Amino acid sequence: MGKIDTPVFDRKKRKKLDAFTEFERLQRIETEQTDKNGNPLIINRLKIKLHTGRWHQIRQHLSSLKFDILGDTQHGDWDF
């Protein structure tokens, strides 16, 4: 179980707000595809519990761990 308590930035309020997220890895899948550095692309299936409901909290917290969200084409590093 992991915990993230990094404040998240709310663009509408133009300030950082407290936020707390817990996550648990349910499954780790190593694919045949590689990233831009030649490392295997790893997909993790997570169970996420939000203790606060901040704007884009999941995106900001997972981004702080360098985790991209599968299917999220607006955020993350998709330059494989």
Coordinates of all heavy atoms in Angstrom, one line a residue:
M1 N 0.9 -1.2 0.0 CA 0.0 0.0 0.0 C 0.9 1.2 0.0 O 1.8 1.3 0.8 CB -0.9 0.0 1.2 CG -1.8 1.2 1.4 SD -3.3 1.3 0.6 CE -4.2 -0.1 1.3
G2 N 0.6 2.1 -0.9 CA 1.4 3.4 -1.0 C 0.5 4.6 -0.6 O -0.7 4.5 -0.7
K3 N 1.1 5.6 -0.2 CA 0.4 6.8 0.2 C 1.0 8.0 -0.4 O 2.3 8.1 -0.5 CB 0.4 7.0 1.8 CG -0.3 5.9 2.5 CD -0.1 6.1 4.0 CE -0.8 4.8 4.7 NZ -0.7 4.9 6.1
I4 N 0.2 9.0 -0.9 CA 0.7 10.2 -1.5 C 0.0 11.4 -0.8 O -1.3 11.4 -0.8 CB 0.4 10.3 -3.0 CG1 0.9 9.0 -3.7 CG2 1.1 11.5 -3.6 CD1 0.5 8.9 -5.1
D5 N 0.7 12.3 -0.2 CA 0.1 13.4 0.5 C 0.6 14.7 -0.1 O 0.5 15.8 0.6 CB 0.2 13.3 2.0 CG 1.7 13.4 2.4 OD1 2.6 13.4 1.6 OD2 1.9 13.3 3.7
T6 N 1.1 14.7 -1.3 CA 1.6 15.9 -1.9 C 0.4 16.9 -2.2 O -0.6 16.4 -2.8 CB 2.3 15.6 -3.2 OG1 3.3 14.6 -3.0 CG2 2.9 16.8 -3.9
P7 N 0.5 18.2 -1.9 CA -0.6 19.1 -2.3 C -0.8 19.1 -3.8 O 0.2 18.9 -4.5 CB -0.1 20.4 -1.8 CG 0.9 20.1 -0.7 CD 1.6 18.8 -1.1
V8 N -2.0 19.4 -4.2 CA -2.3 19.5 -5.7 C -2.6 20.9 -6.0 O -3.2 21.6 -5.2 CB -3.4 18.5 -6.1 CG1 -3.0 17.0 -5.9 CG2 -4.7 18.7 -5.4
F9 N -2.3 21.3 -7.2 CA -2.6 22.7 -7.7 C -4.0 22.7 -8.3 O -4.3 22.0 -9.2 CB -1.6 23.1 -8.7 CG -1.7 24.6 -9.0 CD1 -1.4 25.6 -8.1 CD2 -2.2 25.0 -10.3 CE1 -1.5 26.9 -8.5 CE2 -2.4 26.3 -10.6 CZ -2.0 27.3 -9.7
D10 N -4.8 23.6 -7.8 CA -6.2 23.9 -8.3 C -6.1 25.2 -9.1 O -5.8 26.3 -8.6 CB -7.1 24.1 -7.1 CG -8.6 24.2 -7.6 OD1 -8.8 25.0 -8.6 OD2 -9.5 23.5 -7.0
R11 N -6.2 25.0 -10.5 CA -6.1 26.2 -11.4 C -7.2 27.2 -11.1 O -6.9 28.4 -11.3 CB -6.1 25.7 -12.8 CG -4.9 24.9 -13.2 CD -4.8 24.6 -14.6 NE -6.0 24.6 -15.4 CZ -6.1 24.2 -16.6 NH1 -5.0 23.7 -17.2 NH2 -7.2 24.2 -17.3
K12 N -8.4 26.8 -10.8 CA -9.5 27.7 -10.6 C -9.2 28.6 -9.4 O -9.5 29.8 -9.4 CB -10.8 27.0 -10.5 CG -11.3 26.4 -11.8 CD -12.6 25.7 -11.6 CE -13.1 25.1 -13.0 NZ -14.4 24.5 -12.9
K13 N -8.8 28.0 -8.3 CA -8.5 28.7 -7.1 C -7.1 29.3 -7.1 O -6.8 30.1 -6.2 CB -8.7 27.8 -5.9 CG -10.1 27.4 -5.7 CD -10.3 26.5 -4.5 CE -11.8 26.1 -4.4 NZ -12.0 25.2 -3.3
R14 N -6.3 28.9 -8.0 CA -4.9 29.4 -8.2 C -4.1 29.2 -6.9 O -3.3 30.1 -6.5 CB -4.9 30.8 -8.6 CG -5.5 31.0 -10.0 CD -5.4 32.5 -10.4 NE -6.1 32.7 -11.6 CZ -5.4 32.9 -12.8 NH1 -4.1 33.0 -12.8 NH2 -6.1 33.1 -13.9
K15 N -4.2 28.0 -6.3 CA -3.4 27.7 -5.1 C -3.3 26.2 -5.0 O -4.0 25.4 -5.5 CB -3.9 28.4 -3.9 CG -5.3 27.9 -3.5 CD -5.7 28.6 -2.2 CE -7.1 28.2 -1.7 NZ -7.5 28.8 -0.5
K16 N -2.3 25.8 -4.1 CA -2.1 24.4 -3.8 C -3.0 24.0 -2.6 O -3.2 24.8 -1.7 CB -0.7 24.1 -3.5 CG 0.2 24.1 -4.7 CD 1.6 23.5 -4.3 CE 2.4 23.4 -5.6 NZ 3.6 22.7 -5.4
L17 N -3.7 22.9 -2.7 CA -4.6 22.4 -1.7 C -4.1 21.0 -1.2 O -3.5 20.2 -1.9 CB -6.0 22.2 -2.3 CG -6.6 23.5 -2.9 CD1 -7.9 23.2 -3.6 CD2 -6.8 24.5 -1.8
D18 N -4.3 20.8 0.1 CA -4.0 19.5 0.7 C -4.7 18.4 0.0 O -5.9 18.5 -0.4 CB -4.3 19.5 2.2 CG -3.4 20.3 3.0 OD1 -2.3 20.6 2.5 OD2 -3.8 20.7 4.1
A19 N -4.1 17.3 -0.3 CA -4.7 16.1 -0.9 C -4.0 14.8 -0.4 O -2.8 14.8 -0.1 CB -4.6 16.2 -2.4
F20 N -4.8 13.8 -0.3 CA -4.3 12.5 0.3 C -4.9 11.4 -0.5 O -6.1 11.3 -0.7 CB -4.6 12.4 1.7 CG -4.1 11.1 2.4 CD1 -2.7 10.9 2.4 CD2 -4.9 10.2 2.9 CE1 -2.2 9.7 2.9 CE2 -4.4 9.0 3.5 CZ -3.1 8.8 3.5
T21 N -4.0 10.5 -1.1 CA -4.4 9.4 -1.9 C -3.7 8.1 -1.4 O -2.5 8.2 -1.1 CB -4.0 9.6 -3.4 OG1 -4.7 10.8 -3.8 CG2 -4.4 8.4 -4.2
E22 N -4.4 7.0 -1.3 CA -3.8 5.7 -1.0 C -3.9 4.9 -2.2 O -4.9 5.0 -2.9 CB -4.5 5.0 0.2 CG -4.2 5.7 1.5 CD -4.8 4.9 2.7 OE1 -6.0 4.7 2.6 OE2 -4.1 4.4 3.5
F23 N -2.9 4.0 -2.5 CA -3.0 3.1 -3.6 C -2.4 1.8 -3.3 O -1.5 1.7 -2.4 CB -2.4 3.7 -4.9 CG -0.9 3.9 -4.8 CD1 0.0 2.9 -5.2 CD2 -0.3 5.0 -4.2 CE1 1.3 3.0 -5.1 CE2 1.0 5.2 -4.1 CZ 1.9 4.2 -4.6
E24 N -2.9 0.7 -3.9 CA -2.4 -0.6 -3.8 C -2.3 -1.2 -5.2 O -3.2 -1.1 -6.0 CB -3.4 -1.4 -3.0 CG -3.1 -2.9 -2.8 CD -4.1 -3.6 -2.0 OE1 -5.1 -3.0 -1.6 OE2 -4.0 -4.9 -1.9
R25 N -1.1 -1.8 -5.4 CA -0.9 -2.5 -6.7 C -1.6 -3.8 -6.7 O -1.3 -4.7 -5.8 CB 0.6 -2.7 -7.0 CG 0.8 -3.3 -8.4 CD 2.2 -3.6 -8.8 NE 3.2 -3.2 -7.9 CZ 4.4 -2.8 -8.3 NH1 4.8 -2.8 -9.5 NH2 5.4 -2.4 -7.4
L26 N -2.5 -4.0 -7.6 CA -3.2 -5.3 -7.7 C -2.6 -6.3 -8.7 O -2.7 -7.5 -8.6 CB -4.7 -5.0 -8.2 CG -5.5 -4.1 -7.3 CD1 -6.9 -3.9 -7.9 CD2 -5.6 -4.7 -5.9
Q27 N -1.9 -5.7 -9.7 CA -1.3 -6.5 -10.7 C -0.2 -5.7 -11.5 O -0.3 -4.5 -11.7 CB -2.4 -6.9 -11.8 CG -1.9 -7.9 -12.8 CD -3.1 -8.4 -13.7 OE1 -4.1 -7.7 -13.7 NE2 -2.9 -9.4 -14.4
R28 N 0.9 -6.4 -11.8 CA 2.0 -5.9 -12.6 C 2.2 -6.7 -13.8 O 2.3 -7.9 -13.8 CB 3.3 -5.9 -11.7 CG 4.5 -5.3 -12.4 CD 5.7 -5.5 -11.5 NE 6.8 -4.7 -12.0 CZ 7.7 -5.2 -12.9 NH1 7.6 -6.4 -13.4 NH2 8.7 -4.5 -13.3
I29 N 2.1 -6.0 -15.0 CA 2.2 -6.6 -16.3 C 3.4 -6.0 -17.0 O 3.4 -4.8 -17.3 CB 0.9 -6.5 -17.1 CG1 -0.3 -7.0 -16.3 CG2 1.0 -7.1 -18.4 CD1 -1.6 -6.5 -16.8
E30 N 4.3 -6.9 -17.4 CA 5.5 -6.4 -18.2 C 5.1 -6.8 -19.7 O 4.9 -7.9 -20.0 CB 6.8 -7.1 -17.8 CG 8.0 -6.6 -18.5 CD 9.3 -7.1 -17.9 OE1 9.3 -7.3 -16.7 OE2 10.2 -7.3 -18.7
T31 N 5.1 -5.7 -20.5 CA 4.7 -5.9 -21.9 C 6.0 -6.1 -22.8 O 7.1 -5.9 -22.3 CB 3.9 -4.7 -22.5 OG1 4.8 -3.6 -22.5 CG2 2.8 -4.4 -21.5
E32 N 5.8 -6.5 -24.1 CA 6.9 -6.6 -25.0 C 7.3 -5.3 -25.6 O 8.4 -5.1 -26.1 CB 6.5 -7.5 -26.1 CG 6.3 -9.0 -25.7 CD 5.8 -9.9 -26.8 OE1 5.9 -9.5 -28.0 OE2 5.4 -11.0 -26.5
Q33 N 6.5 -4.2 -25.4 CA 6.8 -2.9 -25.9 C 7.8 -2.3 -25.0 O 7.8 -2.5 -23.8 CB 5.5 -2.1 -26.0 CG 5.7 -0.7 -26.7 CD 4.4 -0.1 -27.0 OE1 3.4 -0.6 -26.7 NE2 4.5 1.1 -27.6
T34 N 8.6 -1.4 -25.6 CA 9.6 -0.7 -24.7 C 9.4 0.8 -24.8 O 8.8 1.3 -25.7 CB 11.1 -1.0 -25.3 OG1 11.2 -0.6 -26.6 CG2 11.4 -2.5 -25.1
D35 N 9.9 1.5 -23.8 CA 9.8 2.9 -23.7 C 11.0 3.5 -24.6 O 11.8 2.8 -25.2 CB 9.8 3.5 -22.3 CG 11.1 3.2 -21.6 OD1 12.1 2.9 -22.2 OD2 11.1 3.3 -20.3
K36 N 11.1 4.9 -24.6 CA 12.1 5.5 -25.4 C 13.5 5.2 -25.0 O 14.4 5.5 -25.7 CB 11.8 7.0 -25.4 CG 11.8 7.7 -24.0 CD 11.4 9.1 -24.1 CE 11.2 9.7 -22.8 NZ 10.6 11.0 -22.8
N37 N 13.7 4.7 -23.8 CA 15.0 4.3 -23.3 C 15.3 2.9 -23.5 O 16.4 2.4 -23.0 CB 15.2 4.7 -21.8 CG 15.0 6.2 -21.6 OD1 15.5 7.0 -22.4 ND2 14.3 6.6 -20.6
G38 N 14.4 2.1 -24.1 CA 14.6 0.7 -24.3 C 14.2 -0.2 -23.1 O 14.4 -1.4 -23.2
N39 N 13.6 0.4 -22.1 CA 13.1 -0.4 -21.0 C 11.8 -1.0 -21.3 O 10.9 -0.4 -21.9 CB 13.0 0.5 -19.7 CG 14.4 1.1 -19.4 OD1 15.4 0.4 -19.3 ND2 14.4 2.4 -19.1
P40 N 11.5 -2.2 -20.7 CA 10.2 -2.8 -20.9 C 9.1 -1.9 -20.4 O 9.2 -1.3 -19.3 CB 10.2 -4.1 -20.2 CG 11.6 -4.3 -19.9 CD 12.3 -3.0 -19.9
L41 N 8.0 -1.8 -21.1 CA 6.8 -1.0 -20.7 C 6.1 -1.8 -19.6 O 5.6 -2.9 -19.9 CB 5.9 -0.6 -21.8 CG 4.8 0.3 -21.6 CD1 5.2 1.6 -21.1 CD2 3.9 0.4 -22.8
I42 N 5.9 -1.3 -18.5 CA 5.2 -1.9 -17.3 C 3.9 -1.3 -17.2 O 3.7 -0.1 -17.1 CB 6.0 -1.8 -16.0 CG1 7.5 -2.3 -16.2 CG2 5.3 -2.5 -14.9 CD1 7.6 -3.7 -16.5
I43 N 2.8 -2.2 -17.0 CA 1.5 -1.7 -16.7 C 1.1 -2.2 -15.3 O 1.3 -3.4 -15.0 CB 0.5 -2.2 -17.8 CG1 0.8 -1.7 -19.1 CG2 -0.9 -1.8 -17.3 CD1 0.0 -2.2 -20.3
N44 N 0.7 -1.3 -14.5 CA 0.3 -1.6 -13.1 C -1.2 -1.4 -13.0 O -1.7 -0.3 -13.4 CB 1.0 -0.8 -12.1 CG 2.5 -1.2 -12.0 OD1 2.8 -2.3 -11.6 ND2 3.3 -0.3 -12.5
R45 N -1.9 -2.4 -12.5 CA -3.3 -2.2 -12.2 C -3.4 -1.8 -10.7 O -2.9 -2.5 -9.8 CB -4.1 -3.4 -12.5 CG -5.6 -3.2 -12.4 CD -6.3 -4.4 -13.0 NE -6.1 -5.6 -12.2 CZ -7.1 -6.2 -11.5 NH1 -8.4 -5.7 -11.6 NH2 -6.9 -7.2 -10.7
L46 N -4.0 -0.6 -10.4 CA -4.0 -0.1 -9.1 C -5.4 0.0 -8.5 O -6.4 0.3 -9.2 CB -3.4 1.3 -9.1 CG -2.0 1.5 -9.6 CD1 -1.6 3.0 -9.6 CD2 -1.0 0.7 -8.8
K47 N -5.5 -0.1 -7.2 CA -6.7 0.2 -6.5 C -6.4 1.5 -5.8 O -5.4 1.6 -5.1 CB -7.0 -0.9 -5.4 CG -8.2 -0.6 -4.6 CD -8.4 -1.7 -3.6 CE -9.6 -1.4 -2.7 NZ -9.8 -2.5 -1.7
I48 N -7.2 2.5 -6.1 CA -7.0 3.9 -5.5 C -8.1 4.3 -4.6 O -9.3 4.2 -5.0 CB -6.8 4.9 -6.7 CG1 -5.6 4.5 -7.6 CG2 -6.6 6.3 -6.2 CD1 -5.4 5.3 -8.8
K49 N -7.7 4.9 -3.5 CA -8.7 5.4 -2.5 C -8.3 6.9 -2.3 O -7.2 7.2 -1.9 CB -8.6 4.7 -1.2 CG -9.7 5.2 -0.2 CD -9.7 4.4 1.0 CE -10.7 4.9 2.0 NZ -10.7 4.2 3.2
L50 N -9.3 7.8 -2.7 CA -9.1 9.2 -2.5 C -9.7 9.6 -1.2 O -10.8 9.4 -0.9 CB -9.8 10.0 -3.7 CG -9.3 9.7 -5.1 CD1 -10.2 10.4 -6.1 CD2 -7.9 10.0 -5.3
H51 N -8.9 10.3 -0.4 CA -9.4 10.8 0.9 C -9.8 12.2 0.8 O -10.5 12.7 1.7 CB -8.3 10.6 2.0 CG -8.0 9.2 2.3 ND1 -8.7 8.5 3.3 CD2 -7.1 8.3 1.8 CE1 -8.3 7.3 3.4 NE2 -7.3 7.1 2.5
T52 N -9.4 12.9 -0.3 CA -9.9 14.2 -0.6 C -10.2 14.2 -2.1 O -9.7 13.4 -2.8 CB -8.7 15.3 -0.4 OG1 -7.5 14.8 -1.1 CG2 -8.4 15.5 1.1
G53 N -11.1 15.0 -2.5 CA -11.6 15.0 -3.9 C -11.2 16.3 -4.6 O -12.0 17.1 -5.0
R54 N -9.9 16.4 -4.8 CA -9.4 17.6 -5.5 C -9.4 17.5 -7.0 O -9.4 16.4 -7.6 CB -7.9 17.9 -5.0 CG -7.8 18.0 -3.6 CD -8.5 19.2 -3.0 NE -8.2 19.3 -1.6 CZ -8.9 20.0 -0.8 NH1 -10.0 20.6 -1.2 NH2 -8.6 20.1 0.5
W55 N -9.4 18.6 -7.7 CA -9.4 18.7 -9.2 C -8.2 18.0 -9.7 O -7.0 18.4 -9.4 CB -9.5 20.1 -9.6 CG -9.6 20.3 -11.1 CD1 -8.6 20.7 -11.9 CD2 -10.8 20.2 -11.9 NE1 -9.1 20.8 -13.2 CE2 -10.4 20.5 -13.2 CE3 -12.1 19.9 -11.6 CZ2 -11.3 20.5 -14.2 CZ3 -13.0 19.9 -12.6 CH2 -12.6 20.2 -13.9
H56 N -8.3 17.0 -10.5 CA -7.2 16.2 -11.2 C -6.3 15.6 -10.1 O -5.1 15.4 -10.4 CB -6.5 17.0 -12.2 CG -7.2 17.4 -13.4 ND1 -7.6 16.5 -14.3 CD2 -7.7 18.6 -13.8 CE1 -8.3 17.1 -15.3 NE2 -8.4 18.4 -15.0
Q57 N -6.8 15.3 -9.0 CA -6.0 14.7 -7.9 C -5.3 13.4 -8.3 O -4.1 13.2 -8.1 CB -6.8 14.4 -6.7 CG -6.0 13.8 -5.5 CD -6.9 13.7 -4.3 OE1 -7.8 14.4 -4.1 NE2 -6.5 12.7 -3.4
I58 N -6.0 12.5 -9.0 CA -5.4 11.2 -9.4 C -4.3 11.5 -10.4 O -3.2 10.9 -10.3 CB -6.5 10.3 -10.0 CG1 -7.4 9.9 -8.9 CG2 -5.8 9.1 -10.6 CD1 -8.6 9.1 -9.4
R59 N -4.6 12.3 -11.4 CA -3.6 12.6 -12.4 C -2.3 13.3 -11.8 O -1.2 12.9 -12.1 CB -4.1 13.6 -13.4 CG -5.1 13.0 -14.4 CD -5.6 14.0 -15.3 NE -6.3 13.4 -16.5 CZ -7.1 14.1 -17.2 NH1 -7.4 15.4 -17.0 NH2 -7.7 13.5 -18.2
Q60 N -2.5 14.2 -10.9 CA -1.3 14.9 -10.3 C -0.5 14.0 -9.4 O 0.7 14.0 -9.4 CB -1.8 16.2 -9.5 CG -2.3 17.3 -10.5 CD -2.6 18.5 -9.7 OE1 -1.8 19.0 -8.9 NE2 -3.8 19.1 -9.9
H61 N -1.2 13.2 -8.6 CA -0.5 12.3 -7.7 C 0.2 11.2 -8.4 O 1.4 10.9 -8.1 CB -1.5 11.7 -6.6 CG -1.7 12.6 -5.5 ND1 -2.6 12.4 -4.5 CD2 -1.1 13.8 -5.1 CE1 -2.5 13.3 -3.5 NE2 -1.6 14.2 -4.0
L62 N -0.4 10.5 -9.4 CA 0.2 9.5 -10.1 C 1.4 10.0 -11.0 O 2.4 9.4 -11.1 CB -0.8 8.7 -11.0 CG -1.8 7.9 -10.2 CD1 -2.7 7.1 -11.1 CD2 -1.1 6.9 -9.2
S63 N 1.2 11.2 -11.5 CA 2.3 11.9 -12.2 C 3.5 12.1 -11.4 O 4.6 12.0 -11.8 CB 1.8 13.2 -12.8 OG 2.8 13.9 -13.5
S64 N 3.3 12.4 -10.1 CA 4.4 12.7 -9.2 C 5.2 11.4 -9.0 O 6.4 11.5 -8.6 CB 3.9 13.2 -7.8 OG 3.3 12.2 -7.1
L65 N 4.6 10.2 -9.2 CA 5.4 9.0 -9.2 C 5.9 8.5 -10.5 O 6.4 7.4 -10.7 CB 4.4 7.9 -8.6 CG 3.9 8.1 -7.2 CD1 2.9 7.0 -6.8 CD2 5.0 8.1 -6.2
K66 N 5.7 9.3 -11.6 CA 6.0 9.0 -12.9 C 5.2 7.9 -13.5 O 5.6 7.1 -14.3 CB 7.5 8.7 -13.1 CG 8.5 9.7 -12.5 CD 8.4 10.9 -13.4 CE 9.5 11.9 -12.9 NZ 9.2 13.3 -13.1
F67 N 3.9 7.8 -13.0 CA 3.0 6.8 -13.5 C 2.0 7.5 -14.5 O 1.4 8.5 -14.1 CB 2.1 6.2 -12.4 CG 2.8 5.3 -11.5 CD1 2.1 4.7 -10.4 CD2 4.1 4.8 -11.7 CE1 2.8 3.9 -9.5 CE2 4.7 4.0 -10.9 CZ 4.1 3.5 -9.8
D68 N 2.0 7.1 -15.7 CA 1.0 7.6 -16.7 C -0.3 6.8 -16.5 O -0.3 5.6 -16.1 CB 1.5 7.4 -18.1 CG 2.7 8.3 -18.4 OD1 2.7 9.5 -17.9 OD2 3.6 7.9 -19.2
I69 N -1.4 7.4 -16.9 CA -2.7 6.7 -16.8 C -3.0 6.2 -18.2 O -3.1 6.9 -19.2 CB -3.8 7.6 -16.3 CG1 -3.5 8.1 -14.9 CG2 -5.2 6.9 -16.3 CD1 -4.4 9.2 -14.3
L70 N -3.2 4.9 -18.3 CA -3.5 4.2 -19.6 C -4.8 4.8 -20.2 O -5.8 4.9 -19.5 CB -3.7 2.7 -19.4 CG -3.8 1.9 -20.7 CD1 -2.5 2.0 -21.5 CD2 -4.0 0.4 -20.3
G71 N -4.8 5.3 -21.4 CA -5.9 5.9 -22.1 C -6.1 7.4 -21.9 O -6.9 8.0 -22.5
D72 N -5.2 8.0 -21.0 CA -5.3 9.4 -20.8 C -4.3 10.1 -21.8 O -3.1 10.1 -21.7 CB -4.8 9.8 -19.4 CG -4.9 11.3 -19.1 OD1 -5.2 12.1 -20.0 OD2 -4.6 11.6 -17.9
T73 N -4.9 10.6 -22.9 CA -4.1 11.2 -24.0 C -3.8 12.6 -23.8 O -3.0 13.2 -24.6 CB -4.9 11.0 -25.3 OG1 -6.1 11.7 -25.2 CG2 -5.1 9.5 -25.7
Q74 N -4.3 13.2 -22.7 CA -4.0 14.7 -22.5 C -2.8 14.9 -21.5 O -2.2 15.9 -21.5 CB -5.2 15.4 -22.0 CG -6.3 15.4 -23.0 CD -7.5 16.2 -22.4 OE1 -7.6 16.5 -21.2 NE2 -8.5 16.5 -23.3
H75 N -2.5 13.9 -20.7 CA -1.5 14.0 -19.7 C -0.5 12.9 -19.8 O -0.9 11.8 -20.2 CB -2.1 14.1 -18.3 CG -3.0 15.3 -18.1 ND1 -4.3 15.3 -18.5 CD2 -2.7 16.5 -17.6 CE1 -4.8 16.5 -18.2 NE2 -3.9 17.2 -17.7
G76 N 0.7 13.0 -19.4 CA 1.7 12.0 -19.4 C 2.7 12.1 -20.5 O 2.6 12.9 -21.3
D77 N 3.6 11.2 -20.5 CA 4.7 11.1 -21.5 C 4.4 10.0 -22.4 O 4.8 8.8 -22.1 CB 6.0 11.0 -20.8 CG 7.2 10.9 -21.7 OD1 7.0 11.2 -22.9 OD2 8.3 10.7 -21.3
W78 N 3.8 10.2 -23.5 CA 3.4 9.2 -24.5 C 4.4 9.1 -25.6 O 4.2 8.5 -26.7 CB 2.0 9.4 -25.0 CG 1.0 9.2 -23.9 CD1 0.4 10.2 -23.2 CD2 0.6 8.0 -23.3 NE1 -0.4 9.6 -22.2 CE2 -0.3 8.3 -22.3 CE3 0.9 6.6 -23.6 CZ2 -0.9 7.3 -21.5 CZ3 0.2 5.7 -22.8 CH2 -0.6 6.0 -21.8
D79 N 5.6 9.6 -25.4 CA 6.7 9.5 -26.5 C 7.5 8.2 -26.2 O 8.5 8.1 -25.6 CB 7.6 10.7 -26.4 CG 8.7 10.7 -27.4 OD1 8.5 10.0 -28.4 OD2 9.6 11.4 -27.3
F80 N 7.0 7.1 -26.8 CA 7.6 5.8 -26.6 C 8.8 5.7 -27.5 O 9.5 5.0 -27.7 CB 6.6 4.6 -26.9 CG 5.5 4.6 -26.0 CD1 4.6 5.6 -25.8 CD2 5.4 3.4 -25.2 CE1 3.6 5.5 -24.9 CE2 4.3 3.3 -24.3 CZ 3.5 4.3 -24.1

